[in-house]
Amino acid sequence: MNARLSALLPLAAALLASSAGALTVTGRVAGSVSPDTRVGAWAVSASGQPVQELASVAVTDGRFRLGVPDAAPPARAQTALNAQNVAWPGVLDPVSVSAPAQAAELKFFTYRDVNRSGGRDEGETLNEATATTARGNLFVVWVSADVTVKANRGYEAALKRGWNALLVEVARAVRVSPFADGAVDVTLNAGR
């Protein structure tokens, strides 16, 4: 048994190393914040509609720290990733995708947890919150396999299997860089 286990350990380590790591987003909420406000991370459909809340956390003194689970998003939030359906921030035609994969986007929403249940319940209005940093917008996407997406104006995102968090700066050229947990403070612009 020990010989089999020791033979499997390098394989397990390689699999873990090849996937994107756990994601924690820390920051503040700008806009309307009441004592019962929560920030939720939602898997969304290809058209951006919320499908399922993956994690949420209460906002305390205008700040939050939200961990996104490593698990894949629900199947109904996943779509085939191909050059014709990449509608991500900063992506302009022509688009190329290096390998077949499924993908799902994660968006942040705020809501008032009126009944203090610790999650969103029917009747609690979701407000999409734009996640920004001093260096650009935060974009979070899950992919089923390692894949590189390239587009016009220098856009290039090398994605690892699992959740990927990217900072996207759009100017004359598009710069995509990895988001470093804890190193960058995120502002969620919650609106009303």
Side-chain angles (χ1 to χ4, degrees), residues 43-104:
V44 298
S45 68
S47 63
Q49 296 303 306
V51 172
Q52 182 177 326
E53 185 175 59
L54 304 178
S56 72
V57 66
V59 176
T60 305
D61 296 327
R63 300 203 49 84
F64 69 94
R65 180 176 175 83
L66 179 65
V68 177
D70 289 334
R76 66 184 191 274
Q78 297 178 32
T79 187
L81 180 60
N82 59 53
Q84 291 74 37
N85 68 0
V86 178
W88 300 346
V91 171
L92 297 172
D93 285 334
V95 178
S96 69
V97 178
S98 66
Q102 292 291 107

Side-chain angles (χ1 to χ4, degrees), residues 99-124:
Q102 292 291 107
E105 189 177 340
L106 179 139
K107 289 189 176 186
F108 299 97
F109 291 84
T110 60
Y111 57 91
R112 292 187 58 213
D113 185 14
V114 178
N115 64 0
R116 306 264 189 211
S117 67
R120 182 182 174 268
D121 295 302
E122 198 65 38
E124 294 174 342

